[in-house]
C-alpha cells in the first residue's frame, strides 16, 4: 500500500531579520530584495542551535500531530545541506534528540530537493513493507555560513556598533545569494495508508507516483567549492581567506533550469498517474524565490491559489521549504480531503522532480 502523510510539524527560529535590517551591514534595499526574490524577512537561530536541534523539534511536532510516539518510528530520513558538522551526518543526532528509539536513519544530500527525495524514499520503504512508520525531515541552519562574522550583532540590532568598511564590503560582495536564505525545519510522518483509513476508494490515496532526476553536469551552478576531498589539505586557512567556504551561485542559469524542470516533472508525474493538469488542487513547490515560482506558474498555467508561496516571511530554507509550506497550508485549512497535490523541487547538484500525492479521506467508491 502507498504511504500517506499522517502528521506534519515545523520549527521556527526566534530571530526575525527584515530586509531593512540587512541594510545595516550591506549595500542593498528592501525594494531590490522584494522585487527580485519576494523575500521580506527570514528567521535565524541563536548561536549554539544546530540543524539537528531544529530538525528534532520539527520531528517531535509532526509526531504529536500524527498521534504517533517516538518508539513507533521505524526509520528517519533527514535532508540538509547545513549539517551540524561535516561528519557524521545529522540523522543520528536527530534520532537521539527526538527520542526515536533505535530507528534506522538516513542522511540525504540533495539540497533543496532533499525533502522531495525523502518523500519518495519513505514511500519505497513503506510500500515494500520494510517500514511501517517513517519520519522525513528537511532542516537548515544557514546562519553559520553567512559572511557576517562579528557583524551578526549588527544584523540582529543587538549593538549600536556600525560595521567596519571591511565587514560592509564582504557582506555586499556576497549579497546576491545571502539575502535569499533563512533557517527553519519541517517534518512529516508517513505511514501505510491501509493502517490509517481502510476503505474502498474511488481514487487511490497517498503517494501515487514520483519522478526524480539528477544531472551532475550542473553541480557547479550553486556549490560550496572549498572544504572537501577535492582539496589537499581538506580544509586550510587559505581556502577560508579565498572565501571558498561560502556558496558560489550562477543565479541566471539556476533560474532557467528550475523554471523548466519543475513544471516538466509535475507534468510527467501526472501523465504517469493518468491524471490531467486541471485535476491538480495544489502544487507545493520549492521556495527558492518568487520569480522562479512565477515562471513555473506560467509554464503550468496555474495561479498562486494552486501554487502558493510563503517565501515572503521565511526566505529560502532549502530542504525545509516543502514541509514548512505544506504544514502551513494544512494549518490554514487549504488542504482538503481527496485533493491532488504535487510536491516539486529543484536543488543544487542538480536534483529535481515531483511527487504526486492524493490526500486521504476522499470519496468512497459506490
Ligand atoms: N541588493 C542590491 N543589489 C544587488 C543585490 C542585492 N541584494 N544582489 C545583487 N545586486 C546587484 C548586483 O551587484 C548587480 O549590480 P551591477 O549590475 O551593478 O553589477 C545587479 O544587482 C544584478 O545582479 P545579478 O546577480 O545579475 O542579479 P539578478 O537580477 O540576476 O538577480 C537573483 C539575482 C535574484 C539571485 C536571480 O539571479 C535569481 O532569481 N536567480 C535564481 C537563483 C536562486 O534563486 N537561487 C536560490 C538558491 S538555489 C535553489 O534554491 C535551487
Amino acid at each position: 500500500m502507498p504511504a500517506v502523510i499522517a502528521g506534519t510539524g515545523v520549527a521556527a527560529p526566534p530571530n526575525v531579520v527584515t530586509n531593512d535590517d540587512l541594510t545595516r551591514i550591506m549595500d542593498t534595499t528592501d525594494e531590490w530584495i522584494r522585487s527580485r526574490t519576494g523575500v521580506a524577512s527570514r528567521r535565524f537561530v541563536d548561536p549554539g542551535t544546530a540543524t539537528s536541534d531544529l530538525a528534532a523539534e520539527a520531528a517531535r511536532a509532526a509526531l504529536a500531530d500524527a498521534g504517533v510516539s517516538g518508539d513507533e518510528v521505524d526509520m528517519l530520513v533527514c535532508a540538509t545541506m547545513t549539517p551540524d558538522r561535516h561528519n557524521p551526518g545529522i540523522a543520528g543526532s536527530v534520532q537521539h534528540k527526538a527520542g526515536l528509539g533505535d530507528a534506522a536513519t538516513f542522511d540525504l544530500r540533495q539540497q533543496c530537493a532533499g525533502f522531495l527525495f525523502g518523500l519518495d524514499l519513505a514511500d519505497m520503504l513503506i510500500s515494500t513493507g520494510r517500514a511501517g512508520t517513517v519520519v522525513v525531515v528537511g532542516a537548515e541552519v544557514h546562519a553559520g555560513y553567512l559572511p557576517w562574522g562579528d557583524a551578526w550583532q549588527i544584523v540582529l540590532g543587538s549593538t549600536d556598533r556600525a560595521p567596519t568598511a571591511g565587514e560592509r564590503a564582504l557582506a555586499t560582495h556576497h549579497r546576491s545569494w545571502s539575502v535569499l536564505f533563512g533557517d527553519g525545519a519541517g517534518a512529516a510522518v508517513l505511514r501505510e495508508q491501509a493502517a490509517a483509513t481502510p476503505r474502498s476508494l474511488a481514487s487511490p490515496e497517498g503517494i501515487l507516483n514520483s519522478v526524480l532526476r539528477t544531472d551532475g553536469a550542473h553541480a557547479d551552478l550553486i556549490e560550496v567549492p572549498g572544504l572537501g576531498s577535492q582539496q589537499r589539505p581538506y580544509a586550510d586557512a587559505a581556502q577560508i581567506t579565498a572565501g571558498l567556504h561560502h556558496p558560489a551561485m550562477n543565479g541566471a542559469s539556476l533560474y532557467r533550469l528550475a523554471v523548466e524542470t519543475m513544471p516538466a516533472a509535475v507534468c510527467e508525474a501526472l501523465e504517469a498517474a493518468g491524471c490531467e493538469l486541471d485535476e491538480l488542487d495544489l502544487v507545493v513547490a520549492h521556495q527558492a524565490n518568487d520569480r522562479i515560482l512565477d515562471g513555473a506558474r506560467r509554464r503550468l498555467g496555474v495561479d498562486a491559489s494552486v501554487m502558493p508561496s510563503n517565501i515572503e516571511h521565511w526566505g529560502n530554507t532549502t530542504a525545509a521549504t516543502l514541509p514548512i509550506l505544506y504544514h502551513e497550508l494544512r494549518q490554514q485549512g487549504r488542504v482538503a480531503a481527496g485533493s491532488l497535490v504535487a510536491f516539486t523541487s529543484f536543488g543544487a547538484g542538480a536534483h529535481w522532480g515531483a511527487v504526486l500525492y492524493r490526500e486521504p479521506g476522499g470519496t468512497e467508491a459506490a
Side-chain angles (χ1 to χ4, degrees), residues 110-188:
Q110 273 65 34
Q111 291 56 252
C112 303
F115 184 83
L116 187 82
F117 278 57
L119 281 182
D120 191 37
L121 175 57
D123 184 47
M124 286 189 266
L125 292 167
I126 290 169
S127 59
T128 55
R130 288 282 283 114
T133 302
V134 180
V135 176
V136 184
V137 189
E140 305 289 353
V141 170
H142 294 112
Y145 74 27
L146 290 166
W148 301 336
D150 292 340
W152 262 104
Q153 287 176 328
I154 302 171
V155 176
L156 296 176
S158 54
T159 175
D160 292 334
R161 179 173 84 76
T164 64
E167 286 170 336
R168 191 162 195 99
L170 182 67
T172 299
H173 176 73
H174 289 287
R175 65 185 175 176
S176 66
W177 63 267
S178 63
V179 299
L180 294 168
F181 293 101
D183 299 342

Side-chain angles (χ1 to χ4, degrees), residues 207-275:
I207 294 184
L208 307 180
N209 186 11
S210 298
V211 170
L212 301 185
R213 298 279 183 271
T214 293
D215 185 348
H218 296 304
D220 59 356
L221 287 185
I222 178 165
E223 62 167 349
V224 176
L227 311 186
S229 60
Q230 64 184 352
Q231 318 282 343
R232 191 166 297 184
Y234 196 91
D236 63 8
Q239 292 177 50
I240 306 287
T241 305
L244 300 182
H245 59 305
H246 297 309
M249 177 175 88
N250 180 338
S253 299
L254 272 176
Y255 171 89
R256 278 193 298 275
L257 259 183
V259 167
E260 267 170 36
T261 54
M262 288 193 290
V266 169
C267 291
E268 199 179 330
L270 283 168
E271 193 181 340
C275 299

Side-chain angles (χ1 to χ4, degrees), residues 32-364:
W32 193 100
I33 300 172
R34 275 181 198 261
S35 63
R36 302 294 215 290
T37 73
V39 181
S41 63
R42 69 289 287 147
R43 289 173 171 272
F44 290 114
V45 298
D46 286 324
T49 301
T51 301
S52 64
D53 296 312
L54 280 189
E57 185 184 335
R60 283 194 300 268
L63 287 167
D65 184 43
V68 172
S69 67
D71 55 17
E72 291 178 77
V73 176
D74 299 306
M75 296 198 187
L76 168 70
V77 180
C78 290
T80 188
M81 72 166 189
T82 50
D84 299 10
R85 61 209 154 208
H86 200 276
N87 177 26
I90 64 164
S93 303
V94 178
Q95 178 232 48
H96 179 63
K97 290 177 181 176
L100 306 186
D102 61 357
T105 68
F106 298 86
D107 279 273
L108 294 190
R109 293 291 310 268
Q110 273 65 34
Q111 291 56 252
C112 303
F115 184 83
L116 187 82
F117 278 57
L119 281 182
D120 191 37
L121 175 57
D123 184 47
M124 286 189 266
L125 292 167
I126 290 169
S127 59
T128 55
R130 288 282 283 114
T133 302
V134 180
V135 176
V136 184
V137 189
E140 305 289 353
V141 170
H142 294 112
Y145 74 27
L146 290 166
W148 301 336
D150 292 340
W152 262 104
Q153 287 176 328
I154 302 171
V155 176
L156 296 176
S158 54
T159 175
D160 292 334
R161 179 173 84 76
T164 64
E167 286 170 336
R168 191 162 195 99
L170 182 67
T172 299
H173 176 73
H174 289 287
R175 65 185 175 176
S176 66
W177 63 267
S178 63
V179 299
L180 294 168
F181 293 101
D183 299 342
V189 178
L190 285 97
R191 307 196 92 183
E192 189 181 352
Q193 190 269 339
T197 50
R199 48 171 49 209
S200 168
L201 292 163
S203 330
E205 293 180 342
I207 294 184
L208 307 180
N209 186 11
S210 298
V211 170
L212 301 185
R213 298 279 183 271
T214 293
D215 185 348
H218 296 304
D220 59 356
L221 287 185
I222 178 165
E223 62 167 349
V224 176
L227 311 186
S229 60
Q230 64 184 352
Q231 318 282 343
R232 191 166 297 184
Y234 196 91
D236 63 8
Q239 292 177 50
I240 306 287
T241 305
L244 300 182
H245 59 305
H246 297 309
M249 177 175 88
N250 180 338
S253 299
L254 272 176
Y255 171 89
R256 278 193 298 275
L257 259 183
V259 167
E260 267 170 36
T261 54
M262 288 193 290
V266 169
C267 291
E268 199 179 330
L270 283 168
E271 193 181 340
C275 299
E276 299 295 328
L277 192 57
D278 61 10
E279 292 175 56
L280 263 184
D281 296 293
L282 270 179
V283 182
V284 179
H286 175 47
Q287 306 289 297
N289 75 49
D290 249 348
R291 279 180 160 183
I292 289 178
L293 288 167
D294 275 341
R297 288 181 190 120
R298 277 196 299 277
R299 285 206 170 216
L300 280 176
V302 300
D303 62 21
S305 68
V306 173
M307 190 189 279
S309 160
N310 68 354
I311 195 169
E312 184 180 4
H313 299 300
W314 284 94
N316 180 347
T317 56
T318 303
T321 67
L322 292 188
I324 292 175
L325 177 59
Y326 179 62
H327 175 81
E328 288 187 345
L329 294 169
R330 289 181 81 216
Q331 297 284 96
Q332 294 159 9
R334 292 172 67 184
V335 185
S339 355
L340 189 61
V341 180
F343 294 89
T344 185
S345 195
F346 179 91
H351 311 280
W352 67 91
V355 169
L356 199 60
Y357 181 71
R358 176 82 66 187
E359 291 292 335
T363 320
E364 285 189 49

